[in-house]
Amino acid sequence: MTTNRHIIDNHTRKVADCLKPVLRDADAFSVVSAYFTIYGYALLEAELNSVAKVRFLFGDPSSMKDLDPGKDEPKSFQFTEHGLEPRFTLEQKGLARQCAEWVSKSNVSIRSARWSNFLHGKMYLTESTDDKLGIVGSSNFMQKGLGGSDKPNLEINLATHEAAAVTELLDWFNQLWHDDHLSEDVKEIVLNALNRIGGDQSPEKVYYKTLYELFYKSIKARLAGEDLSTTAGFQDSKIWNTLYSFQKDGAKSVIAKLQEHNGCILADSVGLGKTYTALAGIKHFELAGECPCAGALSKKLLDNLVSLPCRQEPQTESIS
């Protein structure tokens, strides 16, 4: 691929590499980007700390609420053959704190477009006594967008040092920046998000977050009934329609665990109807034709079920 002076695509030339030398001597740095991540900040941290005036304009208001790595950035944890292992955890928290310290400085200003899908441009403008640089194109202020990862995005950006062109771009930026109808100050929102990422979390929150990450897909599927939709007749069966809603949730969980692990322990408290919940699970697999099913009750339990004054009457001969 031919190298040239104006195109920056993160393969022949990288955005971060072009910005670093000019930022070291820059008096002002103005940015338009839909996204901002702490790993993007890390690429230019030393240079950003030396710039006298920084203005960052978010193109997408929703992105400023979650500044930690997105889907394409390194994750905090990964599953391995040894279980759940931390990756980049200390680095992520430390970077968030460093970034928050930088954002909190009086020379750093942050605004956002007031509407999503309104401002799509990405732009980087530097000003100094001797030079000006303008980069306009597709690169967001993220690790891949700036060309800092092992597999950077293939971008298309046009760079120019022509003073008249950069001045014209600055005029366009200033119009958006100073128009309160089009943009608003969001510095405190950004700082709150960064402090949330870099702050210490309670053990309870870590525990619930871990459970969510482990089980949210299966919970979402069961809530939507996706795991039952392929078993014809199950949701019309008498045993299913005999269950209370909390027992149906339990039955869905039992079915999902049996399908995934080929085993399950149903350990609800006394009186919550474990027998009926289990019978619903048996009915599901019976209708699915996956295995012959049989159930057994002790005489004492059967007598207790018969005497219960509730709407759930035991099915002693067959599961309808």
Side-chain angles (χ1 to χ4, degrees):
M1 188 176 292
T2 303
T3 302
N4 55 65
R5 296 173 52 248
H6 299 292
I7 292 179
I8 306 174
D9 61 4
N10 282 343
H11 286 248
T12 56
R13 300 171 70 201
K14 296 184 178 182
V15 175
D17 293 340
C18 293
L19 286 174
K20 285 182 178 181
V22 293
L23 282 175
R24 293 187 187 108
D25 300 317
D27 300 315
F29 183 40
S30 303
V31 180
V32 179
S33 174
Y35 301 101
F36 174 106
T37 69
I38 55 178
Y39 286 100
Y41 161 77
L43 287 174
L44 302 173
E45 179 182 1
E47 290 76 19
L48 289 172
N49 285 329
S50 67
V51 180
K53 180 181 178 181
V54 178
R55 296 183 296 173
F56 191 99
L57 179 60
F58 275 101
D60 188 342
S62 63
S63 66
M64 65 191 169
K65 297 177 182 178
D66 188 13
L67 307 180
D68 53 337
K71 294 180 180 179
D72 297 329
E73 302 292 344
K75 304 300 180 184
S76 298
F77 295 89
Q78 67 173 351
F79 283 103
T80 71
E81 60 186 51
H82 305 296
L84 192 65
E85 294 185 349
R87 299 176 66 233
F88 307 104
T89 310
L90 296 177
E91 179 184 359
Q92 179 174 316
K93 178 174 287 190
L95 280 177
R97 290 176 174 175
Q98 290 171 245
C99 188
E101 183 179 352
W102 171 70
V103 169
S104 65
K105 294 179 179 179
S106 59
N107 64 315
V108 178
S109 303
I110 304 179
R111 293 179 69 87
S112 171
R114 287 187 175 272
W115 307 282
S116 294
N117 301 317
F118 169 67
L119 178 56
H120 288 265
K122 289 84 178 176
M123 183 169 69
Y124 303 87
L125 304 173
T126 68
E127 304 171 73
S128 65
T129 304
D130 302 322
D131 190 23
K132 292 183 178 182
L133 171 66
I135 299 176
V136 180
S138 61
S139 286
N140 277 307
F141 196 90
M142 303 171 68
Q143 188 178 42
K144 285 191 172 183
L146 296 174
S149 66
D150 293 336
K151 296 180 180 179
N153 294 338
L154 178 61
E155 307 282 358
I156 180 62
N157 300 288
L158 184 66
T160 179
H161 287 272
E162 184 182 339
V166 177
T167 298
E168 191 172 341
L169 291 171
L170 278 169
D171 290 341
W172 178 86
F173 179 92
N174 287 330
Q175 288 179 19
L176 286 173
W177 186 264
H178 295 295
D179 191 333
D180 290 334
H181 177 69
L182 299 178
S183 65
E184 60 183 331
D185 189 314
V186 294
K187 183 169 179 172
E188 287 304 314
I189 297 176
V190 171
L191 278 173
N192 289 337
L194 289 169
N195 290 329
R196 187 170 62 248
I197 299 166
D200 295 325
Q201 306 298 331
S202 68
E204 181 183 35
K205 186 172 183 179
V206 173
Y207 173 71
Y208 285 127
K209 176 64 173 176
T210 301
L211 290 180
Y212 174 79
E213 293 296 336
L214 287 173
F215 299 117
Y216 82 96
K217 288 184 179 179
S218 59
I219 292 172
K220 182 179 179 181
R222 291 201 297 277
L223 287 175
E226 295 172 4
D227 53 338
L228 307 177
S229 60
T230 58
T231 306
F234 178 61
Q235 292 186 336
D236 296 324
S237 65
K238 184 180 293 185
I239 183 62
W240 175 256
N241 288 290
T242 298
L243 300 182
Y244 292 102
S245 60
F246 72 89
Q247 293 170 324
K248 290 181 178 180
D249 290 338
K252 291 178 182 180
S253 184
V254 165
I255 293 166
K257 288 291 181 285
L258 288 170
Q259 290 174 329
E260 184 175 359
H261 303 294
N262 200 32
C264 177
I265 297 176
L266 179 59
D268 286 343
S269 298
V270 174
L272 293 183
K274 294 186 290 295
T275 301
Y276 288 99
T277 301
L279 290 176
I282 293 173
K283 187 63 178 177
H284 174 273
F285 290 104
E286 177 190 342
L287 291 172
E290 296 183 16
C291 63
C293 298
L297 296 177
S298 68
K299 182 65 167 63
K300 181 178 180 181
L301 179 57
L302 181 59
D303 292 341
N304 289 341
L305 286 173
V306 171
S307 65
L308 282 176
C310 67
R311 70 182 179 88
Q312 296 185 353
E313 307 223 346
Q315 306 294 316
T316 57
E317 297 182 2
S318 64
I319 306 171
S320 299

